[in-house]
Amino acid sequence: MKRMHIHLSVENIAKSVAFYTKLFGAEPTVVKDDYAKWMLDDPRVNFAMSSHEGAKRGIEHVGIQAKDSDELAEVYGRIADAGGAIFNEGSTTCCYARSEKNWTADPDGLAWEAFLTHGDVADYGNRVDLDQLASNNATAGACCTPTIPEGVSPESSPEKAKDEACCG
């Protein structure tokens, strides 16, 4: 079963963890100096937050977390059917996890991530530019959304788009 993903950018992780722990009635499953995550079953959501200097506060991006490769392929198909620009980031490390992911944006510019997590890692990982597939609350250098370089269409030149994006 797929899980909704919401990622916030916050000013103070400790204060936010205290607030959301009480709101959700559950401790986070991951807590770092710059990151926290709850894997809730009611409601079924991967709720994460990070704190990085210069980041705008609020919803950074939303997404759908797949439980396996078949679900990820299904979500990728839905993203393609939705008709927005697609950036296939592929295998990457972000938010203390190894994942396979791609990105799109809704008509108002809200960044959407589709991903399958393969396991935890010790480092935060890639923090890439949100400028082109970003909500107004995202900031350059924030986790995890890639930039599609100006003048490069990911559909017509996926390798160039991947090569030019800061996440490599």
Side-chain angles (χ1 to χ4, degrees):
M1 177 185 301
K2 292 171 276 306
R3 184 183 296 265
M4 183 71 187
H5 170 61
I6 301 170
H7 189 111
L8 301 182
S9 176
V10 300
E11 181 70 30
N12 184 300
I13 288 288
K15 286 182 180 179
S16 294
V17 165
F19 175 85
Y20 284 105
T21 295
K22 289 184 193 291
L23 180 68
F24 296 145
E27 294 292 324
T29 55
V30 176
V31 178
K32 306 287 184 179
D33 290 342
D34 60 349
Y35 180 81
K37 175 174 73 174
W38 288 257
M39 295 294 282
L40 302 170
D41 288 322
D42 184 20
R44 189 160 173 80
V45 66
N46 168 341
F47 187 88
M49 64 179 69
S50 58
S51 181
H52 300 288
E53 191 170 326
K56 296 176 186 171
R57 306 305 176 208
I59 294 176
E60 183 179 280
H61 66 271
V62 295
I64 299 172
Q65 181 178 11
K67 73 173 180 179
D68 58 36
S69 298
D70 291 338
E71 277 191 1
L72 187 61
E74 176 189 338
V75 176
Y76 280 4
R78 290 180 187 174
I79 288 172
D81 289 346
I86 298 170
F87 180 84
N88 184 3
E89 187 173 7
S91 183
T92 190
T93 301
C94 181
C95 303
Y96 297 96
R98 282 186 324 277
S99 299
E100 179 76 23
K101 61 176 73 177
N102 78 16
W103 296 88
T104 192
D106 76 5
D108 292 313
L110 179 61
W112 274 85
E113 169 187 34
F115 64 103
L116 173 62
T117 300
H118 298 294
D120 298 333
V121 297
D123 295 320
Y124 191 89
N126 294 331
R127 292 194 59 230
V128 294
D129 194 352
L130 291 169
D131 286 345
Q132 301 223 3
L133 284 178
S135 72
N136 290 333
N137 287 332
T139 186
C143 174
C144 304
T145 311
T147 294
I148 297 175
E150 191 171 326
V152 174
S153 166
E155 294 84 9
S156 64
S157 183
E159 288 309 309
K160 181 154 176 58
K162 185 167 182 127
D163 290 344
E164 295 294 325
C166 65
C167 61

